[in-house]
Amino acid sequence: MILFFGTCFLLFVICYLLFVICYLLFGTCNFYRIQRGLLPTMDRIYITDLSQHEDQIVTLKGWLYNKRSSGKLRFLILRDGTATVQCVVFKGDVDEATFAAADALTQESSFEVTGKVVPDERAPSGYEMQVKSIKTVQIAMDYPITPKEHGTAFLMDNRHLWLRSSRQTAILKVRHTIIKACRDFFDDRGFTLVDTPIFTPAACEGTTTLFETDYFGEKAYLSQSGQLYSEAAIGALGKTYCFGPTFRAEKSKTRRHLTEFWMVEPEVAFADLDDNMKLAEEFVSFVVQRALENNQEELKRLERDTKPLENVVPPFPKITYDEAAKILLEQGVDFEYGSDFGGGDETVLADQFDRPVMIHRWPVEIKAFYMKHAPENDNLAMGVDVLAPEGYGEIIGGGQREEDYETLVSRIKAHGLPMEAFDWYLDLRKYGAVPHSGFGMGIERCVAWICKLPHVRETIPFPRMMARLKP
Ligand code: 4AD
Ligand code: MG
């Protein structure tokens, strides 16, 4: 018995000694080689994956976000597009060249850094890196955007660089979530994505905001909406959506208008206005809830109070244009019955509710030619707008379409539109016309609302507005 335990103990001691020898031989040897840049390709990881590499030596690649110095320490804040992390360079831990490299890095310089991942509860990611070596990729010239306050015009001129700020990256991440949520919502419900053209021969949303261009001697316009083509696509596929950039020559300089914006537009055959409103409320709520699930960190960075977003669940309140007009008059708003709601009117209306409100049945004069008129009142169009809370106004416009051939012909004439540009669209009313509805949601307005931004210009990577074509 004693002999057995004695042998076991001896074997354990031998194994332990072997382990220590191997560690000393290979472990320190690796440190030595890393410090001298002899291990150039350590596994490259991203900052968001640091937790899977605790106590390991890894390489990160990115840009210098910020730097602090204190005696023999250099604190490099590295960002790599997924997050930021503090990389600590201690003079006693690295060779002279590495320390000098840390000193030489300027804001936005690109570099690779190898070191040990150690837990740090004060760090946002929960980790920091103890640096062993640095490989400089490029030393950035004087970076124009510094931590001090800059004016909007300056930041917009430098939009290509401004995108790198933590606020802008947070917005871009939320935008990404919203776009993916739009796709997932329709994909999971059996809709087929049908891409619609950008060069078009006719207006969809009125002739005042058309961008005209020469198309080999013919007049063409940049698409204001894919809707008319989606109406053709549902004849083939039943329920479809299009998702792309749309263009409006908006001459107004408001915080809600871009000249190029992205719109997602579902269209459904055999759907009436009520079906359309149900789809829209489920859709908006799905998108908002997805952002709440995926982007807590970004919304916190944007100082977005998420409480009001948690309310965004169906059913949404639904009121008619007449009821909305009554509310405005009761609230003492100077509003003329029959006119469209302005931004201020929309805010007053939305403020009456704790979630988005749907306004339906509009005076026909202020809605597009394709809208079906209400069976109970020929002066009302079966359109619906969804107004977001907190002063963000209209995020969705849509409605039930006119499916009768003769009626549509008379509407095109009444709106003074060129009949020949719509011959193909009228065909859809000749061959198996059905009741159908759809809507369009502007991505930028939705991003502005979910992130609670003061202006849509920050919701799209490179905004296009009346006075902005560059960068
Ligand atoms: O209400 P709109 O003009 O509706 C249509 O285009 C329909 N054809 C859509 C359809 O039924 N398929 O525009 C829809 C949405 C608006 O609610 C708004 O969110 C956004 O598009 N939008 C704009 N966003 C930013 N800048 C602009 N200039 C916008 N114009 C409209
Ligand atoms: Mg509209």
Side-chain angles (χ1 to χ4, degrees):
M1 188 71 157
I2 292 173
L3 193 68
F4 175 72
F5 277 114
T7 316
C8 285
F9 180 71
L10 203 65
L11 273 174
F12 174 76
V13 170
I14 290 168
C15 286
Y16 182 75
L17 282 175
L18 270 175
F19 171 77
V20 170
I21 289 166
C22 286
Y23 179 79
L24 285 176
L25 262 178
F26 298 109
T28 46
C29 175
N30 262 357
F31 279 137
Y32 172 83
R33 290 164 67 195
I34 290 159
Q35 281 182 14
R36 269 149 196 76
L38 298 175
L39 280 186
T41 48
M42 294 299 299
D43 276 353
R44 183 268 176 104
I45 65 155
Y46 286 95
I47 296 170
T48 38
D49 299 328
L50 282 175
S51 62
Q52 297 158 31
H53 298 272
E54 195 171 317
D55 291 329
Q56 293 174 18
I57 306 281
V58 298
T59 296
L60 296 169
K61 301 183 183 190
W63 297 265
L64 187 77
Y65 192 62
N66 214 339
K67 185 168 78 172
R68 277 187 307 117
S69 303
S70 164
K72 293 181 174 173
L73 289 165
R74 297 292 177 267
F75 301 95
L76 311 177
I77 310 297
L78 172 87
R79 58 168 192 87
D80 72 351
T82 68
T84 58
V85 69
Q86 174 164 277
C87 306
V88 185
V89 192
F90 175 51
K91 201 165 189 170
D93 260 0
V94 296
D95 59 22
E96 259 174 46
T98 302
F99 200 72
D103 266 340
L105 290 174
T106 53
Q107 190 188 347
E108 290 305 317
S109 289
S110 41
F111 66 108
E112 301 178 15
V113 58
T114 300
K116 188 173 173 188
V117 181
V118 293
D120 176 13
E121 57 198 29
R122 290 159 306 171
S125 64
Y127 293 89
E128 67 174 25
M129 174 183 269
Q130 288 174 356
V131 175
K132 304 292 171 200
S133 70
I134 290 172
K135 187 173 154 200
T136 304
V137 179
Q138 195 245 338
I139 295 289
M141 298 177 195
D142 259 359
Y143 192 63
I145 302 177
T146 55
K148 73 164 199 205
E149 286 268 309
H150 294 285
T152 308
F154 174 83
L155 290 170
M156 290 298 288
D157 286 343
N158 287 284
R159 182 67 179 164
H160 51 298
L161 303 175
W162 186 28
L163 284 181
R164 303 179 187 191
S165 75
S166 73
R167 176 183 162 86
Q168 298 307 316
T169 53
I171 297 168
L172 290 179
K173 296 244 180 206
V174 176
R175 180 184 170 98
H176 170 82
T177 298
I178 290 171
I179 289 174
K180 176 138 180 13
C182 293
R183 292 195 182 282
D184 286 348
F185 180 87
F186 294 116
D187 293 348
D188 294 349
R189 281 162 184 73
F191 285 66
T192 304
L193 173 72
V194 175
D195 301 313
T196 53
I198 285 173
F199 284 127
T200 59
C204 177
E205 294 300 323
T207 47
T208 54
T209 63
L210 279 175
F211 275 115
E212 191 183 306
T213 179
D214 172 61
Y215 195 78
F216 307 108
E218 223 182 297
K219 255 189 206 170
Y221 308 99
L222 299 187
S223 174
Q224 297 169 309
S225 158
Q227 177 198 321
L228 306 186
Y229 296 93
S230 290
E231 287 184 58
I234 56 162
L237 293 153
K239 45 184 177 176
T240 67
Y241 69 102
C242 60
F243 198 162
T246 43
F247 307 85
R248 310 244 172 132
E250 303 279 3
K251 288 171 198 89
S252 53
K253 292 181 189 165
T254 80
R255 61 196 183 91
R256 295 176 186 173
H257 288 92
L258 295 164
T259 53
E260 178 178 320
F261 62 96
W262 284 67
M263 185 154 50
V264 57
E265 300 178 81
E267 193 71 27
V268 184
F270 300 101
D272 64 13
L273 181 63
D274 288 340
D275 299 325
N276 200 35
M277 290 200 279
K278 191 160 180 296
L279 184 69
E281 67 187 358
E282 282 172 7
F283 169 64
V284 171
S285 136
F286 178 89
V287 170
V288 170
Q289 298 311 318
R290 179 68 80 75
L292 286 174
E293 278 161 32
N294 289 10
N295 295 108
Q296 279 299 330
E297 196 223 303
E298 285 79 16
L299 294 171
K300 199 164 153 213
R301 224 187 302 160
L302 295 165
E303 296 176 359
R304 191 352 161 177
D305 172 12
T306 51
K307 264 262 152 327
L309 295 179
E310 283 160 23
N311 282 341
V312 183
V313 284
F316 293 174
K318 298 171 188 72
I319 59 173
T320 61
Y321 172 91
D322 280 14
E323 285 165 332
K326 208 161 140 235
I327 292 175
L328 289 179
L329 296 174
E330 277 166 11
Q331 296 293 317
V333 176
D334 181 17
F335 169 77
E336 200 183 320
Y337 182 89
S339 60
D340 204 353
F341 302 130
D345 305 331
E346 288 180 348
T347 302
V348 172
L349 290 169
D351 281 350
Q352 314 299 313
F353 307 94
D354 69 345
R355 63 199 69 197
V357 54
M358 304 181 130
I359 303 177
H360 59 97
R361 288 177 169 76
W362 295 71
V364 293
E365 296 79 19
I366 54 171
K367 286 293 176 193
F369 75 95
Y370 52 73
M371 283 207 188
K372 192 174 176 66
H373 291 192
E376 73 278 8
N377 183 345
D378 195 49
N379 296 319
L380 296 179
M382 301 275 273
V384 59
D385 277 12
V386 180
L387 307 187
E390 302 176 89
Y392 284 91
E394 181 197 331
I395 50 166
I396 281 183
Q400 187 167 343
R401 328 302 191 186
E402 179 55 65
E403 78 265 26
D404 179 67
Y405 177 81
E406 297 297 342
T407 316
L408 196 54
V409 168
S410 67
R411 298 274 162 73
I412 291 172
K413 277 189 196 147
H415 279 78
L417 296 167
M419 197 62 72
E420 62 284 2
F422 292 98
D423 51 6
W424 67 271
Y425 184 64
L426 284 163
D427 270 359
L428 307 173
R429 274 68 184 171
K430 289 188 200 160
Y431 308 112
V434 297
H436 62 287
S437 302
F439 61 82
M441 184 179 80
I443 295 301
E444 291 72 21
R445 296 227 185 134
C446 183
V447 175
W449 163 46
I450 291 179
C451 295
K452 205 164 183 198
L453 307 176
H455 199 291
V456 283
R457 67 181 157 229
E458 282 183 78
T459 61
I460 182 163
F462 296 97
R464 294 289 168 255
M465 292 172 292
M466 197 179 156
R468 173 71 51 193
L469 186 61
K470 205 181 146 201

